[in-house]
Amino acid sequence: MRSRALTFLAFGVGLAVTTVAAVHVAAHHSFAAEFDAAQPITIRGKVTKISWTNPHVWIYLNVPDEKTGKVESWGFEMGAPQQVRARGWDRDTLKTGDELIVEGSRARDGSSRMNARNVTWAATGKKLGAASSEGAAAGTP
């Protein structure tokens, strides 16, 4: 009886570990799955939100449309927090209201999202790499 209980316990633990691993893999993505390197884009706007969380840092900007002047909300993905820190960033590098110029690759689905390669502060010209999963950028060690 005890042997059977241990077998079921081992099976349950194995199943739980497999399920957690599968969920993690499904939740993460490759660059090419969501973004298109053949669609380079540069946007300029003011920071509205900063999400410094795993698996990626996300920054959101209000970007005025060049033709209509209508403001659109954009989000750009950077690398994981530890990768972004290795490029010279920390939680205090960026403030809400900062105006940025962001270079990267547009989302495959055409939404207002992108994967950033480089981020430049409009006021100072300071440029930092964004630890893009696409490849090397400014400030890459």
Side-chain angles (χ1 to χ4, degrees):
M1 181 72 170
R2 185 177 199 153
S3 175
R4 184 176 280 169
L6 288 175
T7 300
F8 282 119
L9 178 62
F11 176 76
V13 169
L15 182 61
V17 168
T18 302
T19 301
V20 168
V23 168
H24 177 71
V25 169
H28 199 260
H29 59 87
S30 69
F31 170 86
E34 288 196 40
F35 304 101
D36 187 354
Q39 291 188 62
I41 187 169
T42 301
I43 61 172
R44 182 179 183 141
K46 293 191 177 183
V47 175
T48 60
K49 181 179 174 184
I50 305 160
S51 180
W52 192 273
T53 59
N54 277 314
H56 297 281
V57 174
W58 276 87
I59 310 295
Y60 298 88
L61 303 178
N62 277 343
V63 179
D65 183 280
E66 293 175 0
K67 296 175 185 166
T68 66
K70 181 181 173 187
V71 174
E72 187 172 12
S73 179
W74 275 78
F76 66 89
E77 176 187 271
M78 301 196 329
Q82 70 273 14
Q83 294 170 318
V84 173
R85 277 193 290 274
R87 304 302 189 282
W89 295 80
D90 64 36
R91 289 182 181 266
D92 298 321
T93 303
L94 192 59
K95 305 280 188 252
T96 300
D98 284 355
E99 187 174 11
L100 304 177
I101 302 164
V102 184
E103 304 165 68
S105 297
R106 188 157 191 169
R108 287 190 174 280
D109 65 7
S111 64
S112 299
R113 297 180 312 115
M114 65 186 287
N115 180 279
R117 275 188 306 281
N118 294 303
V119 178
T120 305
W121 278 254
T124 64
K126 177 180 179 177
K127 186 175 192 174
L128 290 175
S132 170
S133 52
E134 179 182 9
T140 303

